[in-house]
Amino acid sequence: MRQEPASPTRHLRVRRDRGHTVLEFRGEIDIASAAEIVPHLDRETERPGARVVLDLGGIEFFDCSGLRLLYRARHRVLDGGGEVHLVCAHPLTLRMLRITGLAGVLPPRPTLEEVVGVSPPAGRRTGH
C-alpha cells in the first residue's frame, strides 16, 4: 500500500511503498543539500530491520556529498539488520557509482518496481 509522500526538504521526499521506505533524492545533491538531508535520512534509517530504497531518479546533480549520503544510509540500515536498495538509471551517476566502487556494495537497479515488486529470499540482506 502506498502512502502520500512527505517532503522534509526540497531535496528529499520520503514515502512508503509496499513495505519499503523510499527516500527520493531530488534536484542538486551537494554539500549544502546533504546537510539538509542528513537528519531526515538518519531518522528513516535508524529503525531495526528497516527496508529502505534510495531512489536517485529525481536528481539533477550529484557529487561526493551525495555518495557519502548513500554510504551513510547503507551502513545505518545494514547495521540495524535491514535491507537497502538503490534505484538509479542515469548514465553519469552510474559511472560515478562504478568508479568509486559503491556500485559493488550497493548495486543499482533501474526502476523502483524492480526493487519493491519482488522480495529477496528469506534471510538475505541486499546491499552488503
Side-chain angles (χ1 to χ4, degrees):
M1 183 166 114
R2 293 183 179 158
Q3 293 181 358
E4 283 302 307
S7 293
T9 82
R10 65 187 176 114
H11 299 288
L12 181 69
R13 184 170 71 166
V14 179
R15 64 186 176 90
R16 310 283 182 246
D17 190 339
R18 292 172 268 189
H20 290 78
T21 299
V22 180
L23 304 177
E24 295 178 359
F25 292 80
R26 302 160 61 176
E28 295 185 6
I29 308 302
D30 57 19
I31 194 165
S33 60
E36 253 179 53
I37 291 169
V38 164
H40 306 289
L41 180 127
D42 285 355
R43 183 181 64 241
E44 297 299 332
T45 59
E46 73 183 354
R47 291 184 315 278
R51 296 172 68 196
V52 175
V53 178
L54 307 167
D55 187 345
L56 304 183
I59 62 167
E60 298 164 8
F61 174 81
F62 195 77
D63 69 7
C64 61
S65 300
L67 291 172
R68 280 192 296 274
L69 289 172
L70 298 181
Y71 183 79
R72 179 185 188 103
R74 177 188 174 274
H75 179 74
R76 291 172 58 82
V77 171
L78 295 181
D79 280 356
E83 64 182 60
V84 60
H85 303 275
L86 177 63
V87 173
C88 180
H90 190 275
L92 291 176
T93 306
L94 288 170
R95 183 171 185 255
M96 184 173 18
L97 293 170
R98 279 192 299 274
I99 288 170
T100 61
L102 192 56
V105 296
L106 189 58
R109 305 281 178 81
T111 66
L112 180 63
E113 187 59 38
E114 188 172 317
V115 173
V116 299
V118 187
S119 295
R124 181 168 169 236
R125 297 188 314 174
T126 57
H128 191 66

